[in-house]
Amino acid sequence: MLKLGGYLNIGIAIAHLIGIFWLEKVFRTFGIEGKMAELSLIHFSIPYLTTLLVATVFFMFGLYGLSAGGTFKKLPFLKIGIFLIAGIYLLRGITELVYSVLNGFFPTMGILATLIGLLYFLGGLKKWKMKKKNKQITV
C-alpha cells in the first residue's frame, strides 16, 4: 500500500511538472485560473514557482511512501511522516467530498485524495503493527 501511494505521488509530481508547459489550461481545468491570474499580477513567476513547490511536496510524499514500503533506505521521521501525509490527504479528501456533494460536483479529487490517504494510513498501520508483532515474537 505504501509503495503504491508513493508511486501515485511521484506520478502526480511528474504531472505537475508536465503541466507547467500548459499552465493556463491546467489552471482553468481545476478552477484556479482566477487565483493564479491574481498571483501573476504580483509577479509573473509566482504561478510557475507555486507549481514547482507543489510538485516538490508530492515528490517528497512519494519518497516517504517508497521508503516506508522498503524500496530504499529509511528516511528521517518516517513513521510520523507517513501518518502526517495520511492525515493531510484524508483531511483534504474528506473536506473535498463534503464540499463537492453540497455544491453538486462530482468529487473526483476528493475521492483520489481520500484513497491515497487511506493507502498511507492503512499501509502505515500494517507496517508498524507487523514490526511490533515481530519484536514480541523475538523477545
Side-chain angles (χ1 to χ4, degrees):
M1 285 188 265
L2 292 165
K3 283 183 185 180
L4 177 58
Y7 286 125
L8 287 171
N9 272 286
I10 290 174
I12 293 168
I14 291 169
H16 276 78
L17 294 175
I18 292 169
I20 284 178
F21 298 103
W22 301 279
L23 269 188
E24 288 181 26
K25 288 181 182 179
V26 172
F27 291 158
R28 192 174 315 117
T29 300
F30 290 100
I32 58 172
E33 184 179 26
K35 299 266 187 215
M36 288 301 169
E38 286 177 33
L39 289 174
S40 68
L41 293 175
I42 298 169
H43 195 275
F44 78 93
S45 66
I46 292 177
Y48 295 95
L49 294 173
T50 302
T51 303
L52 285 173
L53 176 65
V54 169
T56 302
V57 170
F58 280 120
F59 186 73
M60 290 303 299
F61 283 5
L63 290 180
Y64 266 80
L66 293 176
S67 176
T71 304
F72 59 89
K73 74 176 194 150
K74 184 178 171 188
L75 291 174
F77 308 108
L78 188 60
K79 189 174 183 179
I80 293 169
I82 290 299
F83 289 110
L84 183 62
I85 293 166
I88 290 168
Y89 267 114
L90 290 170
L91 181 64
R92 163 83 160 80
I94 292 167
T95 56
E96 175 107 11
L97 287 170
V98 171
Y99 177 82
S100 297
V101 168
L102 292 176
N103 291 291
F105 301 120
F106 186 76
T108 306
M109 293 305 206
I111 292 169
L112 180 62
T114 303
L115 289 175
I116 294 173
L118 286 172
L119 286 172
Y120 275 78
F121 183 72
L122 296 174
L125 285 178
K126 183 179 176 186
K127 176 180 180 64
W128 283 287
K129 194 180 226 182
M130 296 271 295
K131 249 188 181 175
K132 192 175 182 181
K133 277 186 179 179
N134 289 340
K135 281 184 181 178
Q136 289 174 352
I137 292 170
T138 58
V139 172

